[in-house]
Amino acid sequence: MALLVIASCQLMVVLDITIVNIALPHIQSALDFSTTSLSWVVNAYTLTFGGLLLLGGRAGDILGRRRVFIFGVLLFVLASLLGGLAQNSGQLLGARALQGVGGAIASPTALALISTTFREGPERNRAFGVFAAVSAGGGAIGLLAGGILVEYLNWRWVLFVNVPIGLLIALATPRWIKESERHPGRFDIAGALTSTAGMVLLVYGFIRAAQDGWRDAFTLASFAGAVLILATFVLIERRSRQPITPLHMFADRNRAGTYGIMLCLAAAIFGMFFFLTLFVQGVLGFSPLQAGLAFLPVTAVIAVGAGLASRFLPVYGPKPFMVVGAILAAAGLSWLTLTDVHSTYAGSVLGPMLVFSMGMGMEFVSLTLMALSNVPTPETGAASGLLNATQQVGGSLGLSILVTMYGTASTNEAETQIPAFLQQATPAERLRFQRTGQLPKPWSDEILTAGVSAAFIMAAIFTAIAALVALFVIQVRPSDLERLKGGAGPGPV
């Protein structure tokens, strides 16, 4: 029951990253977002989520993980209610950012509760397997749930649905989860704020570049500000007695490699869900429910990959699954680059999506175990928070880079498609284009497909980098295998 409560919270938090994706076309028309600015509906959540995860993990260590867990869930519920009631783009983005704060408090605490609730060995391996499957598969479940809610209700219910779920989790937690021991410490507020602000500016720079070009003054100023603030963040962490990001964790070769792999893979999976959602609804003409059902096989295959990894990790160690998983993800994304306006779901989308999903299922279990291996108990919250932070920050940063690739490629394609349209358009169609700036089908499909294909090329590069890091950086020691089998092995000090 404790695992059910913890996994349900993680499912709610992860699901919310993608449940909104299905509703993006409806949100875009209802609140007047452009295609590139639409990514902020995702990034407003993931940036505050990733930027404050480390603070959330530290709060659990200092104040008690169960108490902090419940507070984070309730804050998430409040933000979801406000988002569902939003009347303009600013209100929606503000609510999404507040959702990220609630998720940042609840999610790392949930992962740390697994480390302290279940014994090291097979029992904890199974718990991590469930948690990782939920973390990886929750995205696909969110797409299905989003499709059902948008189809039969409206886009606001992708936010309202969190309210009853969160309240049930908050009520069940005191009954099934024990309070953890408190560890004295301080909150590194300056570190949390500078890391979040730096990443927001960095992501804004990439999205601005997609809209206004790399020479735009605001684009260059955003990148310069991001570098300055992130450098300040590193200085703060080096001088702090209790930093929000313990830099000594990066001294461990395996843990540093794990964080690097997570950055790359998160960029890929965020991009796949975002752009495939636009493709199947915009080009293939799927309804929200059909789009949600189209992603349902992802959940099953991720669960299979996670199950295989958690079962055979004690025998082979995590490295083979990290390497093979990244290679499979790269192969699936490379396959997706071949999509065009004549593609079909069965012939061009389903196959590569399943290959990608099998790789991601293997990856998330292996990465979770490797990141928390040999970590002292007082630092499990910080370690789990750092892993989650790299996932969310990598997803936000990666999606902004992919949006830049999309914007550049679609703009170039538009230069070809607009003259072709004007040659064949009727006077009424030309007038409508001058008024709205939107091309009708099939010209708009050509532009969207060109941008999506370019984004998948960059996503495939991210996963290829992850495979190289797994192959050449990760080293599994005999003591690591001993702990995975439930043996003592040298423990953390």
Side-chain angles (χ1 to χ4, degrees):
M1 289 302 299
L3 181 60
L4 177 62
V5 172
I6 294 170
S8 297
C9 173
Q10 183 67 3
L11 177 61
M12 180 182 69
V13 171
V14 173
L15 177 148
D16 207 75
I17 298 171
T18 56
I19 193 172
V20 174
N21 275 14
I22 287 293
L24 286 176
H26 297 264
I27 293 173
Q28 182 176 15
S29 60
L31 301 181
D32 297 324
F33 282 95
S34 68
T35 301
T36 49
S37 65
L38 192 62
S39 62
W40 279 110
V41 178
V42 177
N43 285 334
Y45 176 78
T46 55
L47 279 172
T48 53
F49 190 9
L52 298 176
L53 269 168
L54 301 173
L55 189 63
R58 178 56 59 87
D61 292 341
I62 296 173
L63 301 176
R65 289 169 187 151
R66 188 179 72 176
R67 179 181 292 104
V68 171
F69 178 77
I70 294 173
F71 175 77
V73 169
L74 291 177
L75 183 60
F76 191 89
V77 166
L78 173 62
S80 298
L81 179 62
L82 294 175
L85 297 173
Q87 298 300 308
N88 56 57
S89 58
Q91 291 176 1
L92 177 62
L93 295 182
R96 291 286 288 164
L98 187 61
Q99 273 188 303
V101 176
I105 295 171
S107 184
T109 313
L111 185 55
L113 283 170
I114 287 183
S115 298
T116 55
T117 303
F118 298 93
R119 292 190 302 271
E120 191 165 34
E123 181 179 299
R124 190 183 294 180
N125 292 349
R126 286 192 295 270
F128 274 139
V130 172
F131 189 89
V134 166
S135 297
I141 296 172
L143 291 167
L144 175 60
I148 294 172
L149 292 171
V150 174
E151 185 85 9
Y152 295 109
L153 296 171
N154 60 53
W155 67 266
R156 296 182 183 279
W157 279 94
V158 301
L159 297 164
F160 286 147
V161 70
N162 295 321
V163 176
I165 297 173
L167 290 176
L168 286 174
I169 293 171
L171 290 172
T173 299
R175 177 179 176 84
W176 298 107
I177 297 177
K178 296 180 180 179
E179 184 58 277
S180 64
E181 179 184 354
R182 296 190 193 184
H183 302 280
R186 297 180 179 179
F187 292 107
D188 181 13
I189 302 296
L193 293 179
T194 51
S195 63
T196 304
M199 289 308 304
V200 167
L201 281 176
L202 189 59
V203 168
Y204 177 77
F206 279 110
I207 294 176
R208 178 90 186 188
Q211 295 175 316
D212 300 294
W214 292 95
R215 296 182 180 180
D216 175 71
F218 284 104
T219 300
L220 297 176
S222 297
F223 285 127
V227 171
L228 180 62
I229 294 176
L230 290 174
T232 303
F233 164 71
V234 173
L235 291 175
I236 291 172
E237 299 307 280
R238 291 183 63 181
R239 295 177 180 179
S240 176
R241 284 185 290 178
Q242 292 185 327
I244 194 173
T245 307
L247 297 180
H248 67 267
M249 287 190 175
F250 292 95
D252 183 279
R253 173 176 179 155
N254 286 341
R255 198 168 297 119
T258 297
Y259 294 147
I261 294 169
M262 180 62 85
L263 278 170
C264 294
L265 294 180
I269 196 167
F270 275 51
M272 188 204 75
F273 282 133
F274 183 85
F275 288 107
L276 271 187
T277 301
L278 295 180
F279 180 79
V280 299
Q281 292 191 69
V283 177
L284 300 186
F286 283 21
S287 69
L289 179 57
Q290 288 175 321
L293 290 171
F295 288 100
L296 190 58
V298 171
T299 307
V301 176
I302 284 178
V304 170
L308 287 173
S310 60
R311 179 177 180 181
F312 292 106
L313 269 169
V315 180
Y316 301 106
K319 180 171 181 175
F321 296 100
M322 296 168 83
V323 175
V324 173
I327 291 174
L328 288 174
L333 289 169
S334 299
W335 192 353
L336 280 173
T337 63
L338 303 178
T339 54
D340 57 32
V341 292
H342 305 294
S343 296
T344 62
Y345 172 75
S348 305
V349 175
L350 180 61
M353 194 167 61
L354 296 182
V355 173
F356 176 85
S357 302
M358 177 63 75
M360 295 305 294
M362 293 181 177
E363 283 287 352
F364 276 98
V365 176
S366 308
L367 292 171
T368 301
L369 283 169
M370 183 61 75
L372 296 181
S373 176
N374 206 30
V375 175
T377 300
E379 292 187 345
T380 54
S384 61
L386 192 55
L387 178 66
N388 274 304
T390 55
Q391 179 182 356
Q392 303 307 320
V393 170
S396 297
L397 181 58
L399 181 57
S400 68
I401 295 172
L402 298 181
V403 165
T404 303
M405 296 291 294
Y406 169 89
T408 302
S410 59
T411 299
N412 292 338
E413 184 66 22
E415 294 177 357
T416 301
Q417 296 301 326
I418 290 175
F421 161 74
L422 293 176
Q423 287 180 353
Q424 304 179 35
T426 64
E429 290 175 333
R430 292 185 181 185
L431 183 61
R432 189 180 305 113
F433 172 67
Q434 291 175 354
R435 187 173 64 252
T436 65
Q438 301 294 322
L439 289 175
K441 289 175 175 290
W443 297 276
S444 61
D445 288 349
E446 293 283 358
I447 295 172
L448 177 64
T449 303
V452 168
S453 181
F456 283 138
I457 292 173
M458 192 70 236
I461 293 173
F462 285 145
T463 49
I465 294 172
L468 292 174
V469 174
L471 183 62
F472 294 109
V473 176
I474 301 299
Q475 292 182 339
V476 179
R477 299 173 288 265
S479 59
D480 297 324
L481 289 175
E482 188 66 25
R483 278 193 299 274
L484 290 172
K485 294 176 182 178
V493 294

